[in-house]
Amino acid sequence: QVQLVESGGGSVQAGGSLRLSCAASGYTYSRYCMAWFRQAPGKEREGIASIDRWGTPTYAESMKDRFFISRNNAQNSLYLEIYSLKPEDTAMYYCARDAVGSYCRGIYSRYFDLWGQGTQVTVSS
């Protein structure tokens, strides 16, 4: 079964950190660009970062300082580390697979065709 499963979310105090994970299965994970998105209540989904099959990351401009994306192709896993968490980081976080392949074309939802169910991150002040 082709799927993505996120984990690692939770409730944290402002200033804390989290490491989110995404487990891929059912396809050749190492061949695809992957990305993280988030969606807060009442807001549109926004791209955080993408990473190509070779491990080269790209970040949305507003996410460059506290978010770090990485991948382990041997373990079919994608990660997102978030530091200095703020209440405005509260959202559902999703991992996604690019619809085409190895190169990342941009951190926009329309470029990604496989999504996980999301993991909730809640940051309290």
Side-chain angles (χ1 to χ4, degrees):
Q1 183 180 2
V2 178
Q3 64 178 0
L4 299 172
V5 180
E6 300 95 336
S7 61
S11 297
V12 296
Q13 295 270 344
S17 60
L18 279 176
R19 188 190 197 210
L20 308 183
S21 298
C22 171
S25 60
Y27 71 99
T28 307
Y29 172 76
S30 62
R31 292 183 180 177
Y32 287 86
C33 163
M34 299 292 295
W36 285 98
F37 292 78
R38 69 182 184 183
Q39 187 167 20
K43 295 188 176 181
E44 292 188 357
R45 186 173 296 181
E46 64 176 335
I48 300 171
S50 64
I51 186 166
D52 66 20
R53 66 175 294 188
W54 300 278
T56 303
T58 301
Y59 296 92
E61 192 62 34
S62 62
M63 309 288 184
K64 285 184 175 180
D65 55 346
R66 299 184 298 113
F67 295 81
F68 297 92
I69 189 172
S70 61
R71 67 189 295 163
N72 184 325
N73 287 342
Q75 297 185 352
N76 293 345
S77 296
L78 180 72
Y79 305 101
L80 183 70
E81 297 171 80
I82 316 172
Y83 297 93
S84 302
L85 279 155
K86 304 175 180 180
E88 50 264 43
D89 293 322
T90 295
M92 188 72 80
Y93 285 71
Y94 300 90
C95 62
R97 183 191 73 178
D98 188 273
V100 175
S102 305
Y103 293 93
C104 295
R105 298 170 288 160
I107 319 169
Y108 303 101
S109 296
R110 63 182 181 271
Y111 292 149
F112 296 84
D113 66 343
L114 179 65
W115 296 80
Q117 83 290 345
T119 186
Q120 178 68 40
V121 173
T122 302
V123 185
S124 57
S125 57

